[in-house]
Amino acid sequence: LALAALVLGPLTYSARAAAGDGEYNAGQKAERAGNLDEAFKQYSLAMAKDNNNSKFLIAYERTKLQAAATHVSRGHRLREAGQLQDAALEYQLATTIDPGNAAARQALESIQLQIKQKQDGTMPMASDSEPSTDDALGPPRLQPLSRAPINTKMKIGRAHV
C-alpha cells in the first residue's frame, strides 16, 4: 500500500498541476504580446480549473489590475477627445474586469451623466463639471456642516455635567 502511494502520488500531483496549465501558458503568451484582455481571460480560465494554484491567482490579479487600468486610461483619453460613447465603453470594460476599481466606477457614472446631460441639452459649463487645476493644487476648502456653536456640556437626566 505504501509503495502504491509512492507510485501514484506523483501521478496524482502531475495530473492536478496540469489542470489550467494550458490556459496559464496562453495567458503568459498574451501578456508578453501586450494583450492584457486576452491574458486576463486566459488566467480566468486557469483559475476556474484550479483556484488553489497561487501562480494562477497572482497572474489573474496582476492582469486584472493592469487591464482595468489600461481601459480607464483609454477612457480618459477618449473623454478628453470628446468621444464620450467610446470612453463610456472603456470605463464599462474596466468595471467588468475589475468591479472593485473605484476610479473606473466613478468615471463611468460621471460620463454616463455627462452623456445624458448632453442628450437632454442640459450640459453644464466646463467650469461647473470639472474642478480647475488651481482648486486641485490649492488648500482644501472646508465647509462646516453647521454654524451652531459647539457645546461641551453633557446633559444627564436633568443635571448638567
Side-chain angles (χ1 to χ4, degrees):
L1 186 62
L3 181 60
L6 286 175
V7 172
L8 294 177
L11 291 177
T12 306
Y13 176 76
S14 65
R16 187 177 77 72
D21 278 348
E23 291 81 0
Y24 176 79
N25 292 336
Q28 285 188 313
K29 184 177 177 181
E31 192 173 3
R32 281 192 300 272
N35 188 346
L36 293 174
D37 289 337
E38 181 62 23
F40 174 72
K41 176 184 167 190
Q42 292 299 325
Y43 292 144
S44 297
L45 294 171
M47 284 288 297
K49 290 189 176 182
D50 184 3
N51 64 356
N52 292 320
N53 189 320
S54 59
K55 177 174 71 170
F56 297 171
L57 177 63
I58 291 168
Y60 169 82
E61 289 294 332
R62 179 184 63 245
T63 55
K64 176 176 80 172
L65 296 174
Q66 291 173 339
T70 298
H71 285 292
V72 169
S73 292
R74 283 184 199 150
H76 290 333
R77 285 194 305 274
L78 289 165
R79 183 182 209 163
E80 289 172 7
Q83 299 174 359
L84 302 182
Q85 295 291 344
D86 292 337
L89 179 60
E90 290 295 333
Y91 296 139
Q92 182 62 50
L93 287 170
T95 57
T96 300
I97 291 170
D98 185 5
N101 188 322
R105 277 195 327 270
Q106 289 173 353
L108 180 60
E109 290 170 5
S110 171
I111 202 159
Q112 286 173 336
L113 177 63
Q114 191 175 357
I115 290 169
K116 184 179 183 315
Q117 288 173 338
K118 187 175 182 180
Q119 289 170 346
D120 295 346
T122 59
M123 189 72 175
M125 298 299 292
S127 62
D128 294 341
S129 63
E130 296 291 326
S132 72
T133 307
D134 294 335
D135 290 341
L137 299 176
R141 294 186 185 139
L142 301 177
Q143 296 178 349
L145 296 175
S146 169
R147 296 252 183 234
I150 298 174
N151 184 352
T152 58
K153 296 182 179 178
M154 283 185 357
K155 283 186 178 180
I156 300 177
R158 293 180 180 235
H160 288 282
V161 179

